[in-house]
Each structure stands twice: as C-alpha cells, then as structure tokens.
C-alpha cells in the first residue's frame, strides 16, 4: 500500500467522503491511494453506511495486535500459506469477504465460516479445523454449519477417518439460488392465500396479488437463470491472454444462454 497503513486522519477523510456520497475511486484519488485500499477499508469496517473512522482505526489496531500475537506465539490460528500467497493479504481479503457476506444479510459467524471454507483450496474443513482457524467455540461452528446447510451453502460428508467434513463445492451457489427460488415461491403461495382471506378486489388483497405476481416472476427467473448458467460453475480457468491479463471464459451459448422473457403482466 503506497505510503504504508492508513492513518486516523485518512480514515476521517474516508468517512467524510462517504457522507458526501463520493465514490471509492474519488476518495482514493483525493488520498492518493489505490481504490482497492479504500474499498477494502470500508467493507471490513461496516460498509459505506456504517463506516466510522474512530471505530475503524481501533479495529485495525486490534487486528494488528492479534496478528503479532499469532506470529510471536505460534497460535493455532496462524495458518500456513501455499502457492506463494501473502498471508497478510489473504487474511485481509477474508475479512473483506466476510463483511460483504454480512452486508448481504448473512449472520456474522455464518459469514466467517463461509469465507473460511471458500478460501481453502480443498473446499472442505472439519469442525475442529474451523475452530482452530477462527478461534471460536465448537458450539458456534455447529450453529453456523446448521444454518449454512439449511440454506444450501455447504454439504456434509465423511472422510476416511469417519470425521464429518463441511464442503463448499462448485455447485454451492447453484443450490443456494435454487433454495432461494423455492423460498420465494413459498411466499407467493402464502400471498395468494391472503387474497382469498382478505377478499378479491379489496386494497389489501390487490396489494398481495401484485406481490405474488412480482415474486412469482422473480422466482421463476432465478430458477431458470441458475439452471442455464450452472455450467459456468464448472468452467476451468482460461489461459492468460498474451498481454498477461486473465482471459474471460466464453459466455454460455445455446440452451445455457439467458433468454429474455416477455412480461405478460402475470402468471
């Protein structure tokens, strides 16, 4: 990071910029910092609507002390890095990913477990490994896994030692999206039941009917798009382009390509 770590004064400038509605890139330009630095700073400290300079500064100091303790004492949370990765960069990215998941509505511990699993090359960990990495209680891991399992984000399997492992595989996002579509479809069903209870044509019933029509369309669209795009989750990384930039995978074609659906005003 050019110029070293962010200072408290710079964090105050970030907070002022957010309050003024400035984009991350503009805040970064004014501070002569990379945009990624500002994005990471904001997202791991509450997001754009909850960022507080003083709290962010104290949180950063606590994280720095914790990292120094881990490094000096060799605590279990110090996970060796492979493939030449920068351990500090990985740790910071995990914090950002956790914060983004929390901002989407996922509870904190569930977000921490999900981020931890996602950033492993194996895509799987045991309960004891999660306890070691996250430095939390087994009960916290058990509760988080139960939630993630119910939402289709993880699956359970037994290894050769009969230990239960929690796995994030190529299909987790597909399963999660289809679970979301089923949940939305259930709301549609209940909303339409309400139309009969409240009396067709009444203001409340009309509101519920419109909600049902809207969510029915959204639910079907999510399920259809997830099925059409599922193959993307199994796409192998493309070879780098000649200029060194990563090449993008080809867009889905044929049956895998999303199709525009006419809005006929209802289903």
């Amino acid at each position: 990071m050019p110029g070293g770590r962010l200072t408290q004064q710079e964090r105050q400038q970030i907070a002022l910029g957010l309050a003024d509605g400035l984009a991350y890139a503009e805040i970064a330009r004014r501070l002569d910092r990379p945009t990624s630095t500002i994005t990471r700073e904001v997202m791991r400290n509450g997001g754009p609507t909850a960022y507080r300079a003083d709290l962010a500064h104290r949180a950063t100091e606590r994280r720095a002390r914790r990292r120094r303790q881990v490094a000096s004492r060799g605590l279990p949370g110090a996970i060796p890095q492979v493939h030449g990765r920068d351990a500090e960069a990985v740790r910071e990215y995990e914090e950002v990913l956790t914060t983004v998941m929390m901002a989407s509505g996922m509870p904190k511990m569930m977000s921490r477990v999900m981020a931890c699993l996602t950033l492993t090359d194996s895509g799987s960990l045991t309960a004891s490994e999660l306890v070691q990495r996250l430095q939390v209680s087994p009960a916290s891991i058990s509760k988080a896994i139960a939630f993630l399992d119910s939402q289709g984000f993880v699956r359970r399997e037994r290894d050769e030692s009969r230990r239960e492992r929690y796995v994030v595989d190529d299909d987790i996002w597909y399963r999660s999206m289809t679970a979301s579509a089923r949940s939305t479809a259930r709301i549609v069903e209940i909303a339409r039941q309400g139309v009969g209870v409240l009396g067709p044509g009444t203001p409340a019933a009309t509101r519920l009917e419109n909600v049902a029509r809207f969510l029915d369309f959204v639910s079907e669209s999510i399920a259809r798009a997830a099925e059409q795009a599922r193959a993307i989750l199994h796409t192998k990384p493309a070879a780098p382009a000649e200029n060194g930039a990563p090449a993008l995978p080809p867009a889905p074609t044929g049956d895998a390509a999303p199709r525009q659906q006419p809005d006929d005003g209802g289903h």
Side-chain angles (χ1 to χ4, degrees), residues 83-102:
H83 303 300
R85 292 169 181 151
D86 182 331
E88 178 69 10
V90 172
R91 187 188 298 273
E92 289 185 353
Y93 177 75
E94 185 170 338
E95 291 176 358
V96 173
L97 182 58
T98 298
T99 302
V100 170
M101 290 181 177
M102 290 170 59

Side-chain angles (χ1 to χ4, degrees), residues 45-128:
N45 289 292
T49 60
Y51 183 84
R52 288 271 305 278
D54 52 345
L55 297 180
H57 197 70
R58 288 199 291 270
T60 300
E61 290 179 337
R62 286 196 300 271
R63 285 192 292 265
R65 285 196 298 270
R66 189 165 60 244
R67 285 192 290 268
R68 287 195 295 270
Q69 291 170 352
V70 168
S72 63
R73 301 177 190 174
L75 294 180
I79 306 302
Q81 294 298 322
V82 295
H83 303 300
R85 292 169 181 151
D86 182 331
E88 178 69 10
V90 172
R91 187 188 298 273
E92 289 185 353
Y93 177 75
E94 185 170 338
E95 291 176 358
V96 173
L97 182 58
T98 298
T99 302
V100 170
M101 290 181 177
M102 290 170 59
S104 74
M106 187 180 289
K108 181 177 181 179
M109 183 51 62
M110 292 65 170
S111 298
R112 292 189 67 196
V113 170
M114 187 65 188
C116 187
L117 284 167
T118 300
L119 298 187
T120 61
D121 287 305
S122 65
S124 73
L125 293 168
T126 64
S128 62

